[in-house]
Amino acid sequence: MSRSDLTEAAGRLSACRRIVVFTGAGVSAESGIPTFRGEGGIWEKYDPDVFGNIPGLGQVWLTQPQRLLDFITDALDTFLAAQPNAAHLVIGKAEAAGRIRAVVTQNVDDLHERGGTRTVFKLHGDLYTLRCLRCGRSGPLDRGRMERIRDQLDGMRSGRLAILKKLWEIMPRCGECEGLTRPDVVFFGESLPANVLRQAEEETRSCDAFLIVGTSGVVYPAALLPKLARSRGALVVEVNREASPYTEMSDFSFFGPAGSIVPELIPESPRPA
Ligand code: OAD
């Protein structure tokens, strides 16, 4: 990455008014949420064949509730502590300034929203929404409720049956029918929310620039969006830690931390192109 490339990319982006930002786990890494793949990634610690789907999670609950307890505790600690970083914040400001049309994210955290972005298409769902397994209604899982669940997990440390029973007791129930709920996130093998995907595709088709931030580009159909933007003639700019399947097709690729590079690419007071 050279300084002149960064200046040139920022200049080209400053002329764009319909930027779509496409993000993955890397944009939240500096907020303390680990990425999925690579060293220290979530899938290194928790097998995706087990923890990445509902049947697998159900099986761990029954056979190794302590493992499920660790997983939930880890997740709640991580998400409750995370704060938007410089990348989320600058994206939110650029949207408010009318330069960014939308964020399309694969992340289930709420850091784009808390960073000020209003139009966020969450392709893989939202950890802060619960869906009833019985009646299908959705409702919010606010931070206060998350904190209460987290507190109840403490002290639940011994005896397989005791943990199993306690986990059953603290699983959030539907406000309407008392049914068991699940986080409204997309697990492996599940479909993406169709209306969200459709709107994300529409924005991508009509954008003039597509900024990719922190995604390995290996999970479909989300991974197709950059190719759609490219085929429509948008400027494509990538920010990742290392090369990805998008590097070849991008006009510019920058490798480093999103929290430093994104504010250089879309500064608050852009220079004229
Ligand atoms: P990955 O973990 O696959 O990739 C993270 C990407 O972020 C890599 O390309 C890294 O180079 C980059 N990265 C890491 N730290 C960064 C930083 N500080 N700044 C910039 N880039 C950084 O995460 P995703 O591509 O988001 O799906 O994964 C896609 C999907 O796979 C997820 O949404 C999830 C997972 O299985 C579901 O849960 C359905």
Side-chain angles (χ1 to χ4, degrees):
M1 168 176 58
S2 76
R3 162 80 19 212
S4 63
D5 283 350
L6 205 47
T7 308
E8 190 189 340
R12 298 267 304 271
L13 283 168
S14 73
C16 298
R17 287 292 172 277
R18 297 193 315 275
I19 303 175
V20 168
V21 183
F22 175 58
T23 63
V27 77
S28 298
E30 289 151 76
S31 297
I33 302 179
T35 58
F36 290 94
R37 297 170 182 81
E39 217 183 305
I42 293 170
W43 296 148
E44 201 177 70
K45 192 165 174 193
Y46 297 104
D47 181 354
D49 288 339
V50 177
F51 291 90
N53 62 80
I54 292 284
L57 286 167
Q59 190 67 20
V60 193
W61 184 354
L62 292 175
T63 56
Q64 298 171 277
Q66 180 67 54
R67 278 291 280 153
L68 183 62
L69 183 64
D70 293 343
F71 178 67
I72 298 173
T73 306
D74 239 11
L76 289 176
D77 282 346
T78 302
F79 282 90
L80 283 168
Q83 299 293 334
N85 65 48
H88 299 107
L89 295 172
V90 83
I91 290 167
K93 287 190 177 132
E95 189 208 36
R99 302 182 56 212
I100 287 180
R101 280 280 287 270
V103 168
V104 176
T105 188
Q106 297 161 89
N107 299 344
V108 299
D109 64 48
D110 61 353
L111 297 179
H112 281 302
E113 295 93 321
R114 286 166 62 206
T117 305
R118 277 161 303 156
T119 306
V120 185
F121 297 111
K122 302 181 95 159
L123 294 174
H124 292 166
D126 180 6
L127 189 70
Y128 297 86
T129 301
L130 293 171
R131 192 167 80 234
C132 179
L133 291 167
R134 190 191 288 161
C135 72
R137 282 194 185 83
S138 296
L141 171 63
D142 59 52
R143 296 178 78 78
R145 196 168 176 191
M146 253 190 191
E147 274 160 11
R148 287 194 296 281
I149 295 174
R150 172 66 190 88
D151 288 345
Q152 287 174 293
L153 295 176
D154 277 338
M156 217 198 281
R157 288 282 153 201
S158 60
R160 182 180 155 270
L161 273 178
I163 297 173
L164 204 150
K165 188 163 163 278
K166 190 73 183 161
L167 278 174
W168 172 258
E169 279 167 21
I170 66 164
M171 287 289 166
R173 298 297 198 279
C174 173
E176 296 290 330
C177 75
E178 283 291 301
L180 204 60
T181 61
R182 55 163 281 181
D184 201 9
V185 302
V186 176
F187 286 92
F188 284 118
E190 296 183 333
S191 306
L192 275 62
N195 60 333
V196 177
L197 180 60
R198 185 182 44 74
Q199 291 177 86
E201 283 171 351
E202 271 167 25
E203 292 294 354
T204 302
R205 262 191 213 101
S206 59
C207 72
D208 52 7
F210 196 83
L211 175 59
I212 302 164
V213 186
T215 177
S216 58
V218 296
V219 175
Y220 286 80
L224 289 170
L225 292 175
K227 292 165 194 157
L228 177 59
R230 169 92 283 175
S231 73
R232 291 297 179 128
L235 174 74
V236 178
V237 180
E238 173 194 29
V239 179
N240 259 319
R241 274 280 187 198
E242 64 274 319
S244 78
Y246 304 127
T247 305
E248 287 267 300
M249 51 160 269
S250 296
D251 295 288
F252 296 92
S253 284
F254 301 101
F255 303 120
S260 309
I261 297 173
V262 176
E264 298 250 17
L265 285 171
I266 40 174
E268 279 181 47
S269 312
R271 277 186 293 270

